[in-house]
């Protein structure tokens, strides 16, 4: 008789200590233990966490109503946080009725773009005329040399087109995008952490951050850039989930209904058309078309997306995930991002390209027909492209050579600890004028200070360390995604430490700091399965931290809104000497 003993599927059996990968052996010293394998579908598409049924009983709600609330909270929670953020940002948006900081450039550049198709040279004293006449001033026709692409100024100009050439008009779109950024961050956090609570917490932290608040109420380009970067990240996160859902659906279940890894399917399945990745390419192109540092974001996000594809195939059982990615994903990933971003960038210059090349169009538009004439290869490229290339080269030389000292410039090493915030507006009204109380004493101070909520930013220093720990030692992809967003927006500035740069550039990676703090707070509360005592203590500690951050935002509210306060109250808020 032949043996009929059942064969054993060794693919899912736990490896012996000798067979365990070396990284597991090393990480065990730090308390790492590989999680037991489960249905691959749950690993590819983890379920969202749901409230404990005891919560509804404690609140006196029937289970059916609790389930309905939980089902609607995925959008209801983020929308409530967004409404709060919008109310804060749009409240008295036109005040101060001044041209604050670099609004003197971008508000006027935007007005020129939507009327002439290119930026124009304004008289140096025109700001007061604009404010006195509600924007009813003649628009010059002479082109101006500017050093940033047009997308962000078109966005600002859209608000001016709708509401006029006044402070409310040129701040409207930045306020709108700042509000929508909170909604996007809530949804990203929910998808990233599989938790509506943590997603809404990340959005709420951004809603009460001083830097995000001030940048949303000022017509600068960096807030617009942050919106497009965050939207691109959200598109890539969604694309990751959709790809994993397709691969999970392609894996066949076994006789017991459990889906096991399958090397052949994992290495040969294609993900088809990926609209979210193409949309991410569009958003990244708009980011670069706002400010050039979007290029670093493009590089970082592209690398991250390819690593996500490799991780997806590896979880599904691929023995050679990177080879499979090169065969099936890399080419399409490149086409969906880099060419799309480049095409979007060039398209943003359409009005400049179509402007006359006889000297009455955009700056340098006639360069190819005048100074750029001649050469052996000029016939290969149209004049508009050669003129645009020359313009871009001149702008590049300007940026790398910008070393003019500024009173509010800062080194990127100081950004996370709020070493040198930027004062956008300051006045010293006398008692009884411009909102200064009559009993204020000597005088008041009115200031709009681009300063992040201090307790949030200082907490983010610890959160960044926690994220790095989770990524490097616990192989947590969520921490890696957050770290990528921070690194792509922050680290490039260390290459330009001698250049004139400002703290408010950090707005680009602020959403990822909020995600990091939310992730750290989730760890403080405790993972599912923790004891009740552990969860209560963690929730109390996390709640105190969040309330302190909210209080901190309220305390600095006068410095974010230009509210007149007695000079002694202003001095009490200058916690560091470098803030003055």
């Amino acid at each position: 008789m032949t043996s009929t003993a059942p064969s054993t599927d060794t693919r899912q059996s736990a490896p012996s200590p000798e067979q365990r990968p070396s990284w597991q052996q090393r990480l065990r010293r730090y308390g790492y233990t590989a999680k037991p394998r489960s249905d691959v579908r749950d690993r590819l598409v983890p379920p969202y966490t749901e409230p404990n049924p005891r919560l509804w009983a404690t609140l006196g709600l029937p289970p059916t109503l609790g389930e309905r609330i939980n089902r609607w909270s995925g959008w209801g929670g983020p929308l409530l946080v967004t409404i709060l953020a919008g109310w804060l940002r749009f409240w008295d948006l036109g005040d101060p009725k001044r041209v604050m900081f670099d609004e003197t450039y971008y508000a006027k550049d935007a007005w020129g773009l939507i009327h002439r198709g290119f930026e124009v040279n304004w008289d140096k004293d025109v700001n007061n005329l604009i404010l006195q006449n509600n924007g009813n001033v003649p628009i010059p026709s002479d082109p101006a040399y500017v050093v940033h692409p047009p997308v962000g100024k078109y966005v600002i100009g859209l608000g001016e087109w709708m509401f006029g050439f006044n402070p409310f008009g040129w701040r409207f779109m930045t306020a709108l995008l700042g509000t929508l950024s909170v909604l996007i961050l809530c949804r990203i956090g929910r998808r990233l952490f599989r938790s509506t609570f943590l997603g809404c917490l990340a959005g709420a932290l951004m809603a009460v951050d001083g830097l995000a608040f001030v940048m949303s109420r000022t017509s600068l380009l960096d807030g617009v850039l942050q919106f497009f970067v965050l939207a691109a990240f959200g598109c890539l996160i969604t694309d990751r989930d959709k790809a994993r859902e397709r691969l999970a659906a392609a894996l066949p279940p076994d006789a017991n209904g459990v889906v096991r890894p399958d090397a052949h399917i994992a290495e040969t399945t294609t993900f088809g058309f990926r609209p979210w990745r193409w949309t991410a390419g569009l958003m990244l192109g708009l980011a670069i078309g706002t400010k050039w540092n979007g290029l670093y974001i493009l590089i970082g996000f592209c690398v991250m997306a390819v690593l996500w594809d490799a991780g997806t195939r590896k979880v599904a059982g691929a023995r050679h995930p990177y080879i499979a990615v090169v065969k099936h994903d890399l080419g399409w990933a490149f086409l969906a991002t880099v060419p799309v971003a480049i095409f979007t960038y060039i398209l943003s210059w359409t009005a400049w390209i179509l402007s006359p090349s006889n000297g009455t169009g955009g700056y340098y538009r006639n360069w190819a027909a005048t100074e750029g004439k001649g050469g052996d290869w000029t016939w290969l490229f149209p004049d508009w492209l050669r003129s645009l290339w020359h313009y871009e080269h001149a702008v590049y030389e300007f940026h790398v050579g910008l070393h003019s000292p500024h009173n509010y410039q800062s080194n990127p090493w100081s950004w996370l600890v709020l070493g040198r915030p930027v004062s956008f507006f300051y006045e010293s009204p006398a008692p009884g004028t411009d909102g200064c109380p009559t009993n204020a004493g000597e005088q008041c101070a009115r200031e709009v200070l681009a300063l992040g909520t201090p307790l949030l930013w200082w907490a983010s220093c610890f959160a960044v360390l926690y994220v790095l720990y989770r990524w490097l030692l616990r192989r947590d992809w969520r921490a890696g995604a957050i770290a990528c967003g921070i690194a792509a927006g922050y680290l490039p500035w260390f290459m330009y430490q001698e250049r004139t740069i400002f703290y408010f550039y950090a707005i680009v990676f602020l959403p990822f700091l909020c995600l990091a703090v939310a992730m750290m707070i989730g760890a403080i509360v405790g993972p599912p399965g923790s004891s009740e005592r552990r969860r209560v203590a963690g929730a109390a500690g996390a709640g105190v931290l969040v309330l302190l951050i909210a209080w901190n935002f309220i305390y600095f509210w006068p410095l974010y809104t230009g509210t007149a306060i007695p000079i002694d109250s202003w001095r009490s808020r200058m916690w560091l000497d470098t803030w003055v």
Side-chain angles (χ1 to χ4, degrees):
M1 295 179 61
T2 59
S3 173
T4 58
S7 61
T8 303
D9 185 353
T10 59
R11 291 178 298 175
Q12 297 300 311
S13 59
S16 65
E18 294 76 15
Q19 298 172 323
R20 186 176 293 119
S22 60
W23 65 266
Q24 286 192 23
Q25 295 177 11
R26 289 195 299 270
L27 294 184
R28 284 178 67 84
R29 303 174 191 171
Y30 301 96
Y32 173 86
T33 303
K35 295 181 179 180
R37 295 180 181 270
S38 60
D39 191 306
V40 175
R41 285 174 301 193
D42 292 336
R43 297 176 61 201
L44 285 171
V45 189
Y48 287 88
T49 57
E50 296 186 1
N52 192 308
R54 289 188 300 174
L55 173 64
W56 311 124
T58 303
L59 297 175
L61 300 176
T64 54
L65 180 58
E67 292 176 3
R68 187 175 302 170
I69 293 174
N70 182 56
R71 186 168 59 251
W72 285 97
S73 65
W75 275 103
L79 286 174
L80 288 176
V81 176
T82 304
I83 290 172
L84 170 64
W87 176 74
L88 292 173
R89 281 151 177 76
F90 281 98
W91 177 82
D92 207 8
L93 181 61
D95 187 66
K97 191 178 180 181
R98 302 288 190 277
V99 179
M100 298 194 302
F101 201 66
D102 280 354
E103 285 185 340
T104 189
Y105 302 115
Y106 305 130
K108 291 182 290 189
D109 286 347
W111 192 244
L113 269 175
I114 63 175
H115 286 87
R116 302 290 190 202
F118 50 86
E119 297 88 345
V120 295
N121 265 320
W122 294 86
D123 187 80
K124 292 182 179 179
D125 301 323
V126 76
N127 288 350
N128 290 332
L129 290 176
I130 293 171
L131 295 173
Q132 293 169 4
N133 299 294
N134 197 33
N136 296 316
V137 295
I139 304 173
S141 57
D142 294 335
Y145 173 67
V146 296
V147 295
H148 290 299
V151 170
K153 288 166 280 189
Y154 275 123
V155 171
I156 294 170
L158 181 60
E160 294 174 334
W161 176 70
M162 291 187 292
F163 299 103
F165 193 26
N166 53 62
F168 182 87
W170 63 61
R171 295 170 191 162
F172 175 82
M173 286 304 298
T174 53
L176 178 62
L177 296 189
T179 302
L180 293 177
S181 294
V182 172
L183 175 62
I184 293 173
L185 186 61
C186 288
R187 293 290 298 176
I188 286 174
R190 180 178 183 270
R191 191 177 287 273
L192 190 69
F193 302 125
R194 282 330 203 224
S195 167
T196 300
F197 168 73
L198 290 181
C200 290
L201 175 61
L205 291 174
M206 187 170 170
V208 298
D209 176 71
L211 181 62
F213 177 80
V214 170
M215 295 299 288
S216 296
R217 293 169 57 89
T218 314
S219 62
L220 270 63
L221 301 181
D222 302 84
V224 180
L225 172 63
Q226 174 249 293
F227 171 81
F228 289 130
V229 168
L230 187 61
F233 185 79
C235 290
L236 291 176
I237 285 281
T238 305
D239 172 76
R240 178 185 183 274
D241 277 3
K242 298 298 182 184
R244 291 170 81 91
E245 289 173 3
R246 289 186 188 180
L247 192 52
L251 294 171
D254 62 13
N256 297 318
V258 177
V259 174
R260 305 287 188 180
D262 189 295
H264 176 71
I265 292 178
E267 293 179 355
T268 59
T269 299
T270 58
F271 297 124
F273 183 65
R274 303 173 72 165
W276 286 105
R277 182 164 286 185
W278 291 83
T279 307
L282 172 63
M283 293 296 107
L284 291 168
L286 293 173
I288 300 169
T290 301
K291 292 189 78 171
W292 276 5
N293 49 315
L295 280 167
Y296 295 108
I297 308 292
L298 170 68
I299 295 170
F301 282 7
C302 285
V303 172
M304 178 183 66
V306 170
L307 293 177
W308 282 352
D309 284 344
T312 296
R313 293 185 182 278
K314 184 176 181 180
V315 169
R319 296 186 179 91
H320 306 287
Y322 291 97
I323 295 177
V325 166
V326 170
K327 287 182 178 179
H328 303 294
D329 304 323
L330 188 60
W332 287 110
F334 175 82
L335 289 175
T337 50
V338 178
V340 171
I342 294 174
F343 177 77
T344 302
Y345 179 82
I346 295 176
L347 191 64
S348 70
W349 286 88
T350 298
W352 181 91
I353 293 170
L354 296 179
S355 68
S357 60
N358 59 2
T360 62
Y363 199 88
Y364 274 142
R365 178 62 184 87
N366 65 333
W367 178 86
T370 55
E371 300 174 53
K373 291 179 67 176
D376 295 332
W377 304 101
T378 55
W379 60 274
L380 285 175
F381 306 101
D383 282 358
W384 68 263
L385 183 58
R386 293 194 300 116
S387 295
L388 180 60
W389 179 262
H390 177 76
Y391 196 170
E392 302 290 58
H393 182 264
V395 169
Y396 171 77
E397 290 186 332
F398 169 85
H399 282 304
V400 298
L402 182 61
H403 301 298
S404 303
H406 193 284
N407 191 38
Y408 288 104
Q409 71 183 71
S410 60
N411 190 285
W413 286 106
S414 69
W415 290 357
L416 289 182
V417 294
L418 307 181
R420 185 59 171 162
V422 183
S423 180
F424 285 173
F425 163 79
Y426 184 86
E427 283 184 349
S428 300
T433 62
D434 288 338
C436 181
T438 55
N439 60 350
E442 48 179 324
Q443 63 181 11
C444 285
R446 290 188 68 201
E447 183 171 28
V448 175
L449 186 65
L451 169 73
T453 302
L455 292 185
L456 172 60
W457 280 75
W458 294 338
S460 74
C461 296
F462 297 97
V464 169
L465 295 176
Y466 173 72
V467 162
L468 292 175
Y469 156 73
R470 290 290 307 181
W471 176 43
L472 296 173
L473 299 182
R474 302 304 294 269
R475 299 176 65 85
D476 191 327
W477 77 271
R478 303 169 302 171
I482 296 171
C484 177
I486 296 172
Y490 187 25
L491 295 184
W493 291 112
F494 287 91
M495 298 188 294
Y496 307 100
Q497 295 184 60
E498 301 302 321
R499 185 181 178 274
T500 308
I501 54 179
F502 301 93
Y503 157 68
F504 62 80
Y505 295 172
I507 187 67
V508 176
F509 61 87
L510 169 64
F512 302 96
L513 293 180
C514 293
L515 288 171
V517 174
M519 188 174 184
M520 182 180 71
I521 289 176
I524 293 173
V525 172
S530 300
S531 66
E532 186 171 347
R533 177 177 297 181
R534 166 70 178 84
R535 299 280 280 188
V536 170
V544 169
L545 176 59
V546 173
L547 289 176
L548 285 175
I549 291 172
W551 163 82
N552 207 204
F553 174 75
I554 295 171
Y555 179 72
F556 283 96
W557 173 268
L559 300 188
Y560 299 144
T561 58
T563 301
I565 55 176
I567 193 66
D568 288 337
S569 297
W570 176 85
R571 291 193 185 107
S572 69
R573 287 166 170 80
M574 295 294 105
W575 285 1
L576 301 178
D577 293 341
T578 55
W579 292 4
V580 180

